[in-house]
Amino acid sequence: MGNNMRAVEDAVILAGGKGTRMLPSSLYMPKETMPLVDTPILNHLIWEAARAGVKRVHLVLSQRKLEILDPFLSDVSIHDNEVRPDLPIHALSLGVPGVQIIPHLQDSANGVADAVKQALSDINGPFLVILGDMLILQKHLPPNSSGPKTASTASKKLVERYNENGLPCLGLFPVELREVVNYGIANLDRNMVVEIEEKPLESQAASNLALCGRYLLPEETGDILEKYPLSKYGDLQSIYLLRHFIEYGGLNGVVYNSPSSMYDSGNPLVWLKSQIDHALQREDFKGNLSSWLSEKLEKMGEESYH
């Protein structure tokens, strides 16, 4: 790391959205806390941020979500160690020892950039941004083996790239071409982003590299956002911010290739597929689940044949 380059000590996890596409399941719980089989999404994201080396995690929340999560924010754990002695303490709490969790209120769901702005007054230096409904995992572990030491390296890879050249970074995940219409898509030239298209048609996409909710942004992000006010750019503020980086200085693209898996809790069917995919790769579930699925599919095939 260069002498004039500040360490990345903050991560912002965005969880202020209404989660309407996950209704009715999001009626009683934030979609960011929904379990991937048995571990809440938010736990995975905080562990990922901790593994990247941050000292503070800023949670951007709506008023309703802040009220729901308040008991977990004010205490290390709501359970004592006797409840599940087979589980590590971090599996039963929201935080990680040595990492401060700081809540921030977002009054209205006005997009990624507006959510980031809610935390900027408490951040000095470059910082990570993680979307609260998207997981990038390299390992598929049960709760008793999960935690900061075995967490996703997605954010850590952004920090490592930033430390090489001091430029902002963008995490990218390869998707099927038929899926590009659901994402922002980046075009790379030797690891540098040269173009970002917002939800292009399959026939018009420059690549299949999808924005996957991972960013490393510079200290001056707040000042740059003033050039692209919410009143004019709306939800596209964040895209214009990234395009600004491309034009003025450069934007790194970090691609998460296999064996990484991307899971999105954006809608019920996609999340159901994520649950099954994760469970089929876990040693404690895959044997039983794969047998049950095979039997179920075989039975359904026989019934449709008759």
Side-chain angles (χ1 to χ4, degrees):
M1 186 187 302
N3 293 330
N4 61 343
M5 205 181 302
R6 301 186 66 168
V8 180
E9 298 185 341
D10 294 86
V12 182
I13 296 179
L14 307 185
K18 295 179 179 179
T20 53
R21 288 187 298 163
M22 285 298 285
L23 284 170
S25 58
S26 58
L27 199 60
Y28 305 110
M29 65 188 304
K31 67 175 181 177
E32 296 83 7
T33 65
M34 290 181 179
L36 182 66
V37 179
D38 47 16
T39 299
I41 298 172
L42 194 52
N43 284 44
H44 281 293
L45 298 181
I46 291 174
W47 296 339
E48 176 186 324
R51 188 169 186 183
V54 306
K55 296 180 179 179
R56 293 168 296 274
V57 171
H58 304 264
L59 289 181
V60 180
L61 304 163
S62 66
Q63 181 64 49
R64 179 172 172 269
K65 292 179 182 179
L66 183 58
E67 292 169 359
I68 292 172
L69 293 177
D70 184 64
F72 300 92
L73 294 168
S74 58
D75 191 9
V76 175
S77 174
I78 65 170
H79 295 294
D80 59 47
N81 294 337
E82 304 303 317
V83 173
R84 285 286 301 274
D86 59 313
L87 294 176
I89 190 65
H90 54 249
L92 298 174
S93 62
L94 188 61
V96 172
V99 177
Q100 184 181 7
I101 308 294
I102 306 170
H104 299 268
L105 180 63
Q106 184 184 25
D107 292 326
S108 303
N110 289 319
V112 170
D114 183 70
V116 169
K117 286 182 69 175
Q118 309 311 310
L120 289 181
S121 61
D122 285 349
I123 296 174
N124 293 306
F127 59 97
L128 291 161
V129 176
I130 305 173
L131 265 57
D133 57 0
M134 299 189 78
L135 286 175
I136 307 292
L137 296 181
Q138 294 82 39
K139 296 181 179 179
H140 301 268
L141 303 170
N144 58 4
S145 301
S146 298
K149 293 182 179 179
T150 56
S152 171
T153 58
S155 289
K156 183 180 180 182
K157 289 181 183 299
L158 296 185
V159 173
E160 291 171 345
R161 180 68 65 81
Y162 169 79
N163 288 341
E164 291 175 5
N165 57 23
L167 294 176
C169 303
L170 175 66
L172 300 167
F173 195 94
V175 298
E176 298 291 334
L177 275 176
R178 65 176 181 274
E179 296 177 359
V180 296
V181 70
N182 299 316
Y183 297 94
I185 298 296
N187 189 15
L188 287 188
D189 181 13
R190 289 172 292 183
N191 293 327
M192 299 300 293
V193 181
V194 295
E195 181 185 15
I196 294 176
E197 308 166 276
E198 182 63 8
K199 299 181 178 180
L201 297 175
E202 179 179 342
S203 60
Q204 299 173 346
S207 80
N208 69 330
L209 298 177
L211 278 62
C212 58
R214 300 295 184 281
Y215 312 89
L216 197 159
L217 304 182
E219 184 175 11
E220 61 271 20
T221 294
D223 294 333
I224 297 172
L225 283 175
E226 296 300 323
K227 303 176 185 290
Y228 308 99
L230 178 67
S231 58
K232 181 177 180 179
Y233 295 93
D235 287 354
L236 292 178
Q237 253 189 316
S238 57
I239 296 297
Y240 279 89
L241 174 68
L242 297 175
R243 287 173 177 166
H244 180 97
F245 294 141
I246 293 171
E247 186 173 355
Y248 301 100
L251 177 64
N252 279 299
V254 177
V255 181
Y256 305 124
N257 287 309
S258 180
S260 293
S261 300
M262 180 172 72
Y263 298 138
D264 182 350
S265 65
N267 68 66
L269 180 58
V270 170
W271 188 235
L272 177 60
K273 291 178 179 179
S274 297
Q275 303 267 15
I276 295 170
D277 185 79
H278 173 64
L280 286 173
Q281 296 186 72
R282 273 178 47 168
E283 291 295 334
D284 55 337
F285 282 139
K286 66 180 183 181
N288 190 305
L289 180 60
S290 60
S291 297
W292 180 83
L293 280 172
S294 296
E295 293 171 4
K296 198 74 174 176
L297 291 171
E298 184 178 354
K299 184 177 180 180
M300 290 175 64
E302 291 174 355
E303 291 174 349
S304 63
Y305 177 77
H306 293 297

